[in-house]
Amino acid sequence: GAPGGGAGGSPEEAETRFLISARKKGGTKSGTFLLTNDFSRPACAETLLGKLKGNWSGASYTVFNSGKKAGKAGDVGIGEERKELGVIFYEYDRMGPGKMKVCIPRTGVGQGFWSEKNQSIISTLGDLADIEKLSADKLPKHLKNIFMICTSKRPKWDNEQKGHVLNFKGRVTESSVKNFQLQCLKETGEATMLQFGRVSKNVFTLDFGYPLNALQAFSVALSSLDGKIADSKGFDMVKRMRKGSVT
């Protein structure tokens, strides 16, 4: 979406401090990224913060902490097992990300994590693990106590700019299909709890707050940049395949 007006701090005024880096893992069928706190050396036990793993089409991404996968790394001690930090769901149209929904565990539920030893977030959601069906209103009561659902804001038409815009309050300065904002209506109303957008070529700014932590917010932004079958280029192809017109 195009950036709207409003007062806000300029990205150039922000303090520069390294936080998280990502390295795409080769040899995988899906987009898998290793998230580290040191971009100068390969990911290892000392630097690994977590992992972001997409499905084959890029329609969903799961965020993990740096724990060990049960059954693969031998005996896993208490507190060392891999845990999920959230799942990001996408639906694309010709303009780019048409919808984005993020399901995260509530803070206080296993320190904000969901353990693989029980079930994955997607398997726990069951039929609701679909971007069309997933909403805070549709969650059964026992899941409302575990998960929060965040959704992307849809751009609004602006007569002056003659286009659909989002108000980034000066933090995003260039139009891009990658620009987006998230809100968590049941938790914080219409307040923006994450926004991501372009400020120059190959440079984006990311702002976030409760209920997301830095690793979750970074993963959401990273997933939106990953090339995927489910993106706008694949939209028409999938549509033609459904109609049987692809040879």
Side-chain angles (χ1 to χ4, degrees):
S10 167
E12 289 77 13
E13 298 173 358
E15 177 187 356
T16 300
R17 181 193 301 177
F18 175 78
L19 188 61
I20 304 172
S21 71
R23 296 177 184 270
K24 193 163 189 177
K25 188 176 180 181
T28 59
K29 295 180 180 180
S30 58
T32 300
F33 297 85
L34 301 179
L35 312 177
T36 74
N37 61 11
D38 188 343
F39 66 89
S40 64
R41 54 182 175 148
C44 60
E46 291 76 22
T47 64
L48 188 65
L49 298 175
K51 181 186 294 186
L52 175 68
K53 185 175 182 179
N55 69 352
W56 69 273
S57 67
S60 69
Y61 289 78
T62 301
V63 189
F64 299 93
N65 71 350
S66 59
K68 301 175 183 178
K69 187 173 182 179
K72 188 175 183 180
D75 293 333
V76 177
I78 298 175
E80 295 181 346
E81 70 272 12
R82 180 185 294 175
K83 298 179 181 179
E84 296 185 11
L85 304 179
V87 179
I88 307 144
F89 297 93
Y90 284 96
E91 180 182 79
Y92 278 71
D93 56 31
R94 290 186 180 88
M95 295 179 65
K99 292 181 183 178
M100 179 191 300
K101 293 184 180 179
V102 182
C103 178
I104 58 175
R106 291 185 177 276
T107 54
V109 179
Q111 290 75 51
F113 303 113
W114 183 253
S115 175
E116 276 192 346
K117 284 188 175 181
N118 298 313
Q119 281 183 301
S120 68
I121 293 176
I122 287 180
S123 63
T124 301
L125 290 173
D127 291 341
L128 291 176
D130 179 281
I131 195 163
E132 291 295 335
K133 300 177 182 178
L134 184 63
S135 73
D137 292 328
K138 293 181 180 179
L139 286 179
K141 186 175 181 179
H142 71 284
L143 292 185
K144 287 182 180 179
N145 295 329
I146 299 175
F147 298 125
M148 288 184 278
I149 308 298
C150 309
T151 61
S152 55
K153 290 186 173 182
R154 295 297 287 176
K156 296 181 180 179
W157 179 262
D158 185 278
N159 287 325
E160 292 184 4
Q161 298 194 38
K162 303 298 181 183
H164 291 86
V165 302
L166 292 167
N167 186 357
F168 288 94
K169 300 185 183 298
R171 293 285 294 163
V172 174
T173 56
E174 294 191 7
S175 298
S176 172
V177 294
K178 300 295 186 182
N179 297 350
F180 69 89
Q181 294 177 324
L182 291 182
Q183 61 187 0
C184 207
L185 288 171
K186 291 294 182 180
E187 312 298 327
T188 56
E190 294 186 358
T192 299
M193 35 74 66
L194 181 148
Q195 62 180 23
F196 179 72
R198 188 187 299 274
V199 293
S200 64
K201 184 178 180 180
N202 297 327
V203 179
F204 292 78
T205 184
L206 171 65
D207 302 318
F208 66 93
Y210 175 85
L212 294 175
N213 62 34
L215 194 61
Q216 290 168 324
F218 183 84
S219 298
V220 171
L222 180 61
S223 70
S224 73
L225 296 174
D226 186 33
K228 48 183 75 75
I229 293 176
D231 65 12
S232 55
K233 292 181 180 179
F235 176 81
D236 286 327
M237 183 187 74
V238 173
K239 191 173 182 180
R240 291 198 307 272
M241 287 177 65
R242 288 178 176 175
K243 291 181 178 180
S245 58
V246 174
T247 58

